[in-house]
Amino acid sequence: MTEFWLISAPGEKTCQQTWDKLMVATTRTNNLSTNNKFNIPDLKVGTLDVLVGLSDELAKLDTFVESVVKKVAQYMADVLEDSRDKVQENLLANGVDLVTYITRFQWDMAKYPIKQSLKNISEIISKQATQIDNDLKARASAYNNLKGNLQNLERKNAGSLLTRSLAEIVKKEDFVLDSEYLVTMLVVVPKTSYAEWQKTYETLAEMVVPRSTKLLFEDNDSGLFSVTLFRKAVDDFKHKARENKFTVRDFQYNEEEMKADKEEMTRLSTDKKKQFMTSVHVFHRYGLPVNFQAMLLQPNKKNMKKLREVLYDLYKHLDSSAAIIDASMDIPGLNLSQQEYYPYVYYKIDCNLLDFKV
């Protein structure tokens, strides 16, 4: 299970006592959850008014960052389209999987200096998330262009002989080249019409070279035949071939163009494989008083209801109104976007960032 509950409650005499009390209630006497301390440094909290003022901004920032993280995950899935089972193992934070990152969370002092105010730290996070979002949009656009161009080339090299590229099928020796008078044509003939082709191709125009046809390639339905004739007979040959339900493919053998097409396919394929994103961020909120212990719980799925009851019993004294507050109520300074309200600070963290299961 990849769901975690990040909760925070005021310390007893010490924060350690708060931790010990939670452990006794949820782990040592039963099996409700697996718990880890969530280490938060001493931040420059300021006044309660400042926190209330930041409440709405942090809620919006939380939603924005979550959407960016999920977009990063989805982009990763798109890039790893041929091995989507490997997506989860490539969704890393600071080089480790998300569960390890969360359960061993360490505040990044360099990125988020604790001497800065909470407002400044939130602005730093917002700017970084916006930069990631903009970069992601640019990368996704470039990737989709690459993917589209590559798919167009792949389509040219697949499908029926009537539409696919012939460059990968034919060889130089299949053609009469550098002749002022002769030209080699390529004709798609249904398999059911092979005998008819052999019997009639020399008479489809007056200047067809006898015994010049050769079967070059077959798919499930048709064969690709070469035939040599005089250039002045090409239009007449095409017309008569069409009347007999033979399809002449317009193709000129050009080694430089064929080489360029192959190089373009290789380049696009290589560039597509290089597309990768590694930026995943998780952040959270906290409040007054500063004597709080943040704790990360990984609930036992079978006992989630019981865990809620135990947590409520532990912390109901913090806010007697918690049991009656309706999440739809609009209370200034209090954001209830979680759709649930508890007497302790609560955030749900889901490490499964993608809709599909991997």
Side-chain angles (χ1 to χ4, degrees):
M1 184 178 179
T2 56
E3 179 178 320
F4 291 87
W5 296 356
L6 177 61
I7 73 170
S8 182
E12 307 291 329
K13 291 183 179 180
T14 67
C15 289
Q16 183 61 40
Q17 287 180 339
T18 303
W19 170 255
D20 291 339
K21 192 173 181 179
L22 176 79
M23 290 295 288
V24 170
T26 64
T27 303
R28 292 172 188 166
T29 59
N30 45 40
N31 185 31
L32 300 182
S33 61
T34 301
N35 306 330
N36 292 274
K37 285 185 178 180
F38 200 79
N39 296 311
I40 298 175
D42 292 332
L43 297 165
K44 193 174 181 180
V45 176
T47 65
L48 183 59
D49 286 344
V50 171
L51 287 178
V52 171
L54 276 174
S55 178
D56 287 343
E57 292 180 32
L58 288 175
K60 293 175 184 177
L61 183 57
D62 183 39
T63 301
F64 174 56
V65 171
E66 182 179 359
S67 71
V68 173
V69 170
K70 288 186 175 180
K71 280 193 278 187
V72 170
Q74 187 57 56
Y75 176 67
M76 185 79 76
D78 292 340
V79 172
L80 294 172
E81 57 188 15
D82 295 329
S83 52
R84 289 173 84 93
D85 58 319
K86 295 183 179 179
V87 173
Q88 205 68 41
E89 67 185 61
N90 282 288
L91 289 175
L92 305 177
N94 286 353
V96 299
D97 65 89
L98 301 187
V99 171
T100 300
Y101 177 79
I102 291 172
T103 55
R104 300 179 185 177
F105 176 77
Q106 294 293 322
W107 187 270
D108 191 330
M109 298 289 187
K111 286 186 178 179
Y112 314 109
I114 60 175
K115 291 183 179 180
Q116 297 271 6
S117 68
L118 291 183
K119 182 174 178 60
N120 287 349
I121 291 176
S122 70
E123 289 174 353
I124 292 171
I125 294 172
S126 179
K127 287 178 181 178
Q128 290 177 341
T130 300
Q131 181 59 47
I132 291 171
D133 192 41
N134 292 337
D135 185 50
L136 182 64
K137 289 175 182 176
R139 286 173 179 266
S141 177
Y143 174 77
N144 288 332
N145 286 336
L146 274 174
K147 185 177 180 181
N149 292 337
L150 185 57
Q151 286 175 338
N152 288 336
L153 283 178
E154 287 171 343
R155 274 195 292 269
K156 289 181 180 179
N157 289 300
S160 136
L161 281 171
L162 294 171
T163 57
R164 67 175 294 176
S165 170
L166 303 179
E168 296 291 327
I169 295 174
V170 298
K171 301 175 183 176
K172 185 176 181 178
E173 53 266 30
D174 295 328
F175 294 83
V176 174
L177 300 173
D178 303 320
S179 171
E180 184 179 350
Y181 301 104
L182 297 176
V183 63
T184 299
M185 307 290 291
L186 298 178
V187 184
V188 178
V189 179
K191 284 187 173 179
T192 54
S193 301
Y194 278 9
E196 183 67 16
W197 167 258
Q198 292 289 353
K199 185 171 69 175
T200 62
Y201 81 90
E202 294 180 359
T203 61
L204 293 178
E206 291 185 356
M207 308 181 81
V208 177
V209 177
R211 295 184 296 279
S212 63
T213 194
K214 181 181 177 182
L215 178 62
L216 305 180
F217 185 84
E218 288 182 301
D219 62 15
N220 292 333
D221 304 311
S222 308
L224 183 70
F225 286 83
S226 63
V227 60
T228 302
L229 58 151
F230 280 79
R231 291 184 183 275
K232 61 174 63 177
V234 166
D235 289 341
D236 189 34
F237 180 86
K238 286 183 177 180
H239 177 71
K240 292 292 180 61
R242 187 163 52 248
E243 287 183 350
N244 285 271
K245 303 191 184 307
F246 305 139
T247 304
V248 177
R249 290 290 307 271
D250 287 326
F251 182 85
Q252 290 185 338
Y253 187 88
N254 186 309
E255 280 189 307
E256 290 185 1
E257 289 184 4
M258 291 165 64
K259 181 181 178 182
D261 284 346
K262 289 180 182 178
E263 289 176 348
E264 178 69 0
M265 174 79 81
T266 301
R267 183 188 69 78
L268 289 174
S269 182
T270 301
D271 288 349
K272 186 165 171 270
K273 290 177 182 177
K274 288 180 180 178
Q275 297 291 326
F276 232 94
M277 283 288 285
T278 57
S279 302
V280 177
H281 292 272
V282 176
F283 83 106
H284 47 272
R285 73 170 175 89
Y286 25 96
L288 285 174
V290 293
N291 183 27
F292 266 64
Q293 176 61 56
M295 297 161 285
L296 189 69
L297 284 62
Q298 186 173 13
N300 183 322
K301 192 173 184 180
K302 296 179 180 178
N303 297 320
M304 293 175 76
K305 184 177 180 181
K306 178 63 177 175
L307 179 59
R308 280 288 182 213
E309 293 171 355
V310 168
L311 292 176
Y312 178 75
D313 287 340
L314 274 177
Y315 304 119
K316 62 184 177 182
H317 65 281
L318 299 175
D319 188 348
S320 59
S321 65
I324 60 173
I325 288 182
D326 183 351
S328 64
M329 294 172 62
D330 184 14
I331 302 176
L334 180 62
N335 184 280
L336 296 175
S337 60
Q338 301 285 339
Q339 301 302 316
E340 297 173 281
Y341 181 74
Y342 304 101
Y344 46 89
V345 176
Y346 163 74
Y347 267 90
K348 175 183 171 183
I349 300 176
D350 190 348
C351 291
N352 186 17
L353 300 176
L354 300 165
D355 292 334
F356 64 86
K357 293 182 179 179
V358 294

